């Protein structure tokens, strides 16, 4: 007596395939949400970076720094913002 041909997929195979697709979809969604959050954080920090750069250039071109007779380094402190930590740097003045 010949064996009947088993064709098609079983219910277990279909469930396993759906679970795998669901895991891949959840991972892709988590990655997309993380990318969106990081991009939003970086865009907000850009304004802070521009303000810090402006303050640095203003201090660098001030008359007290430009006209200094002896070379000197003065500390320049930037306060923490919601998107950037506090920053302390040295500003070189003089010739």
């Amino acid at each position: 007596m010949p064996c009947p041909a088993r064709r098609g997929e079983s219910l277990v195979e279909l469930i396993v395939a759906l679970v795998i697709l669901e895991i891949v979809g959840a991972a892709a969604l988590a990655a997309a949400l993380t990318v969106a959050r990081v991009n939003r954080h970086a865009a907000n920090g850009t304004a802070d970076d521009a303000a810090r750069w402006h303050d640095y250039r203003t201090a660098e071109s001030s008359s007290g720094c430009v006209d200094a007779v002896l070379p000197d380094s003065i500390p320049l402190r930037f306060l923490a913002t919601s998107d950037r930590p506090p920053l302390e740097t040295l500003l070189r003045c003089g010739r």
Side-chain angles (χ1 to χ4, degrees):
M1 176 181 226
C3 261
R6 294 186 177 179
R7 294 167 42 182
E9 292 83 21
S10 70
L11 183 60
V12 173
E13 290 171 333
L14 291 175
I15 290 174
V16 168
L18 285 175
V19 167
I20 291 172
L21 284 174
E22 186 175 334
I23 290 171
V24 169
L29 178 62
L33 291 174
T34 300
V35 166
R37 182 180 52 82
V38 168
N39 283 340
R40 186 173 52 249
H41 180 72
N44 292 342
T46 302
D48 295 333
D49 294 341
R52 286 180 175 186
W53 180 248
H54 179 265
D55 293 345
Y56 180 87
R57 297 297 290 171
T58 301
E60 184 180 48
S61 61
S62 69
S63 62
C65 188
V66 173
D67 297 335
V69 177
L70 297 174
D72 191 16
S73 295
I74 58 171
L76 188 60
R77 293 180 184 87
F78 298 107
L79 300 176
T81 63
S82 60
D83 294 303
R84 295 289 187 250
L87 176 67
E88 184 171 337
T89 185
L90 289 176
L91 178 65
R92 293 183 182 215
C93 294
R95 299 175 190 185

